[in-house]
Amino acid sequence: MESSAMRETTEIAHQLAWIAVDWGSSNLRAWGLDQHDKVIAQASSDKGMLSLKADEYEAELLRLVSDWLPTNAPTKVLVCGMAGARQGWLEAAYLPVPTRLDQLSQGAVTPGLAGSQLHIYLLPGLSQTHSATAHFDVMRGEETQLAGLVADTPDFSGLACLPGTHAKWATLEAGAVTQFTTYLTGELYKLLARQSVLQHSIGSDDLNDAACRDAFVTAVSESYEAPETFSSRLFGVRAQDLLDGRLPTGKMRGAVLAARLSGLAIGLELAGACREPSSQAPITLIGNQALCQRYTLALNAIGFQTRHVDGDEAVLAGLRLAHHALKA
Amino acid sequence: MESSAMRETTEIAHQLAWIAVDWGSSNLRAWGLDQHDKVIAQASSDKGMLSLKADEYEAELLRLVSDWLPTNAPTKVLVCGMAGARQGWLEAAYLPVPTRLDQLSQGAVTPGLAGSQLHIYLLPGLSQTHSATAHFDVMRGEETQLAGLVADTPDFSGLACLPGTHAKWATLEAGAVTQFTTYLTGELYKLLARQSVLQHSIGSDDLNDAACRDAFVTAVSESYEAPETFSSRLFGVRAQDLLDGRLPTGKMRGAVLAARLSGLAIGLELAGACREPSSQAPITLIGNQALCQRYTLALNAIGFQTRHVDGDEAVLAGLRLAHHALKA
């Protein structure tokens, strides 16, 4: 206890019960929580999985949270995301769907850290294997955001969408993920906007602008109703820039064409993700506000209702649920 | 005539009647033809439109063909392709469809070159503007290959496809292009294979290999029958690499996944280009043999017949037709 006594125990350390971490490919965020699961400290860094070797994770985490730690016992740390990937800290093998979201912690793994102040639990991702249809899919990190949906409603059922670089759509039935599908939407948009023949036509859109909004919504409907035209409508954006005398000039031209490209990409996703409006229940969008507003505009245009859950709140709720399950 | 006599007149120069040039974005090819339209000389360079300023075209062409030129009069040179683009030598404005392919030379423009040994005709491209449906499209170079189809059959009707980075599909009716559509297929494939999350999974395919051919044909059918799944099947290629125990190992793994990606991209194009097998006439594929064989495999798999026309022969036939029209 000598060495511990040397360190000043902070106010946070007196209250800290456990630590929640969302460790992605390009950054990590850590929250310190008290025994009532209230956030009492926060930290983040840009050291994601892509910039760390397996033996560098502990030091990076300690760099962020060592001031929070009590001295009397190791602190539990629940980690979701790419830290649990094969190329991360230690592999937490994918759980195959269907999986109940309140049981993610059953697949957690713990790196052996002799004498560490941290007791780490790396949560698993989810996998899907339908060999017959060649429908393979994986997620890692999003499952914990989905778990946030069942934290208050253990038997939650419904369709959830997490927009982004690799947008995830998951079907939840009575608290379990029964199937999910990843769409390359965000990555497709970026590649086309920045590195294709379209790069000279595409600017930055602003969906608060009526012309951008119109272009976006029209493009969503076109892709949704005729997904087979996607690849030709992409080239059409370039041709429109060359030929369409009705397009605005200056900065608005690139903005309108960016909105159109975004609408084409999202509309293609929606064509695959929600063909059958089988239920009147709203689709749950999980993520940041701007992107979820974009998806709401798109989904409303094709007749679906949505509700929005903040991405940070969802992942924290999911990590809390996993922490409770560990204790149980 | 003094200065002309100083130059040795070559055998080619005695026979040369005119010069045909296909001047693309990244290279140019020139053919010297005699009065019977027989090729008697060939030259090429990598100085395409992208690497030349407007005032550099004549010198580059002379560098290749000056030895061919007779001394008694300027030589007619018919040029198709990007040299006629706005950012090329001199803009030959797009002709709007419908356009008869034997009348391309009516849209040709001639750069003013005082005292030049060359009399240049830059052929126009084609444009399409359906404002109501936002279907804008352009081609520049491919129209001359299409003109090759009507050189022998002035009233040719049928569906033609020119595979490539920007694949073109054109409907020909009685010797005229009535509508056409560009698909970003080749560019999509390259972006996804080299710069997306798929890049670590994709190798080089070989459609002579049965496993590659099966993966290709299966993927073509999947995209063709369910184009709305395109974006999710892309991510599925990555997930399959992670999860599918039945995939081969080593080099064949990347080859099979490359074949699958190629099939998904081409299948999406075919879903847009040939939904309705309204006619039993074969689809005419214009281009190099390997790519046209790939498209034949794809089209046969979904029930269409094809015939192949070599791309070089097509462009030369189209330039011959334009040359005859100029003389008429």
Side-chain angles (χ1 to χ4, degrees):
Chain A
M1 298 298 282
E2 280 293 310
S3 65
S4 302
M6 305 266 292
R7 184 164 69 73
E8 187 184 355
T9 305
T10 63
E11 183 64 25
I12 292 168
H14 280 298
Q15 301 174 41
L16 190 85
W18 65 287
I19 293 173
V21 180
D22 182 5
W23 209 317
S25 295
S26 51
N27 59 45
L28 80 119
R29 289 166 314 147
W31 296 270
L33 297 104
D34 68 11
Q35 60 180 340
H36 307 295
D37 279 350
K38 191 183 139 205
V39 172
I40 56 172
Q42 289 190 48
S44 64
S45 95
D46 61 358
K47 294 288 184 188
M49 179 270 282
L50 293 174
S51 55
L52 289 172
K53 292 181 198 141
D55 60 4
E56 297 173 336
Y57 281 81
E58 186 188 11
E60 176 59 17
L61 188 53
L62 283 173
R63 192 176 70 79
L64 295 184
V65 307
S66 57
D67 284 352
W68 306 352
L69 300 177
T71 53
N72 53 343
T75 301
K76 275 189 190 161
V77 183
L78 271 83
V79 183
C80 70
M82 296 305 286
R86 194 174 303 171
Q87 64 275 45
W89 192 344
L90 177 69
E91 183 175 13
Y94 295 111
L95 298 179
V97 294
T99 292
R100 280 194 64 88
L101 286 164
D102 56 10
Q103 294 177 4
L104 293 177
S105 59
Q106 292 187 8
V109 298
T110 295
L113 304 169
S116 173
Q117 296 172 277
L118 306 174
H119 192 159
I120 305 286
Y121 296 87
L122 300 172
L123 295 174
L126 301 182
S127 66
Q128 175 170 281
T129 303
H130 289 159
S131 296
T133 59
H135 186 174
F136 296 92
D137 217 324
V138 291
M139 65 166 70
R140 196 177 276 286
E142 295 90 350
E143 73 295 326
T144 306
Q145 292 184 293
L146 292 169
L149 297 182
V150 307
D152 293 330
T153 317
D155 286 332
F156 181 87
S157 293
L159 189 58
C161 166
L162 299 92
T165 304
H166 299 157
K168 306 282 181 186
W169 285 74
T171 302
L172 274 66
E173 290 178 21
V177 175
T178 54
Q179 71 97 22
F180 67 96
T181 306
T182 305
Y183 295 83
L184 211 67
T185 308
E187 185 160 12
L188 261 184
Y189 177 84
K190 274 179 214 152
L191 286 172
L192 290 164
R194 296 180 189 168
Q195 303 195 59
S196 80
V197 67
L198 305 182
Q199 64 183 295
H200 304 295
S201 300
I202 302 297
S204 293
D205 66 7
D206 172 6
L207 296 189
N208 291 316
D209 174 84
C212 283
R213 202 162 54 240
D214 286 354
F216 174 77
V217 167
T218 300
V220 166
S221 297
E222 288 172 8
S223 270
Y224 182 74
E225 284 161 21
E228 71 277 8
T229 64
F230 177 70
S231 158
S232 62
R233 290 190 197 274
L234 293 180
F235 188 83
V237 172
R238 175 70 187 145
Q240 187 179 8
D241 191 18
L242 292 171
L243 299 177
D244 188 358
R246 298 172 311 176
L247 276 179
T249 54
K251 209 171 162 184
M252 275 309 296
R253 191 181 190 87
V256 165
L257 293 175
R260 176 161 175 80
L261 178 59
S262 172
L264 290 175
I266 291 174
L268 180 65
E269 173 184 332
L270 300 187
C274 42
R275 280 326 268 175
E276 296 142 32
S278 56
S279 105
Q280 293 300 317
I283 292 165
T284 302
L285 294 169
I286 307 177
N288 76 54
Q289 191 165 13
L291 195 51
C292 288
Q293 279 179 344
R294 184 175 293 259
Y295 269 65
T296 293
L297 197 57
L299 282 160
N300 290 350
I302 57 168
F304 291 85
Q305 299 304 309
T306 65
R307 67 176 188 126
H308 176 220
V309 174
D310 179 73
D312 285 359
E313 287 175 21
V315 78
L316 256 175
L319 287 163
R320 282 190 188 103
L321 183 67
H323 180 243
H324 280 276
L326 267 188
K327 291 194 295 186
Chain B
M1 299 299 281
E2 280 292 311
S3 64
S4 301
M6 306 264 294
R7 183 164 69 73
E8 188 184 355
T9 305
T10 64
E11 183 64 24
I12 293 167
H14 278 301
Q15 299 175 40
L16 191 85
W18 64 288
I19 294 173
V21 179
D22 181 5
W23 208 318
S25 293
S26 50
N27 59 44
L28 81 117
R29 290 168 310 150
W31 296 269
L33 298 104
D34 68 12
Q35 61 180 340
H36 306 296
D37 279 350
K38 189 182 144 206
V39 173
I40 55 173
Q42 288 189 49
S44 65
S45 96
D46 60 0
K47 295 288 183 188
M49 180 269 283
L50 294 174
S51 55
L52 289 172
K53 293 182 195 139
D55 60 4
E56 297 173 336
Y57 282 80
E58 186 190 11
E60 176 59 18
L61 188 53
L62 282 172
R63 191 176 70 78
L64 295 184
V65 307
S66 58
D67 284 353
W68 306 352
L69 300 177
T71 54
N72 54 342
T75 300
K76 275 189 191 165
V77 183
L78 271 83
V79 183
C80 70
M82 295 304 285
R86 195 174 302 171
Q87 64 274 43
W89 191 344
L90 177 70
E91 183 176 12
Y94 294 111
L95 298 179
V97 293
T99 292
R100 280 194 65 89
L101 286 164
D102 57 8
Q103 293 177 6
L104 293 177
S105 59
Q106 292 187 9
V109 298
T110 295
L113 304 169
S116 173
Q117 294 172 278
L118 306 173
H119 191 160
I120 306 286
Y121 296 88
L122 299 172
L123 294 175
L126 300 183
S127 66
Q128 176 170 282
T129 303
H130 289 159
S131 298
T133 57
H135 186 172
F136 296 91
D137 217 322
V138 292
M139 67 166 68
R140 197 176 276 286
E142 294 90 349
E143 73 296 327
T144 306
Q145 292 184 293
L146 292 169
L149 298 182
V150 307
D152 293 330
T153 318
D155 286 331
F156 181 87
S157 294
L159 189 57
C161 167
L162 300 90
T165 304
H166 300 158
K168 308 282 181 185
W169 285 74
T171 304
L172 274 66
E173 292 177 19
V177 174
T178 54
Q179 71 95 25
F180 66 96
T181 306
T182 304
Y183 296 81
L184 212 66
T185 309
E187 185 160 11
L188 262 183
Y189 177 84
K190 274 180 214 156
L191 287 171
L192 291 164
R194 297 181 190 168
Q195 305 195 57
S196 80
V197 67
L198 305 184
Q199 63 183 298
H200 304 295
S201 301
I202 301 298
S204 292
D205 67 7
D206 172 5
L207 296 189
N208 291 315
D209 174 85
C212 283
R213 201 165 53 241
D214 285 354
F216 174 77
V217 167
T218 300
V220 166
S221 296
E222 287 172 9
S223 269
Y224 182 75
E225 283 160 21
E228 70 277 9
T229 64
F230 177 70
S231 158
S232 62
R233 290 190 196 274
L234 293 180
F235 187 82
V237 171
R238 175 71 187 142
Q240 186 179 7
D241 191 17
L242 292 172
L243 300 177
D244 188 359
R246 298 174 311 176
L247 275 179
T249 55
K251 209 172 166 187
M252 274 311 293
R253 190 180 190 88
V256 164
L257 293 174
R260 175 159 175 81
L261 178 60
S262 173
L264 290 175
I266 291 174
L268 180 65
E269 173 184 332
L270 300 188
C274 42
R275 279 328 265 176
E276 296 141 32
S278 57
S279 105
Q280 293 301 319
I283 293 166
T284 302
L285 294 169
I286 307 175
N288 75 54
Q289 191 166 11
L291 195 52
C292 289
Q293 278 178 344
R294 184 175 293 259
Y295 269 65
T296 293
L297 197 56
L299 282 160
N300 289 351
I302 58 169
F304 291 85
Q305 298 305 308
T306 65
R307 67 176 188 126
H308 176 220
V309 174
D310 179 73
D312 285 359
E313 286 176 22
V315 78
L316 256 175
L319 287 163
R320 283 190 188 103
L321 184 67
H323 180 243
H324 280 278
L326 267 187
K327 291 194 293 185

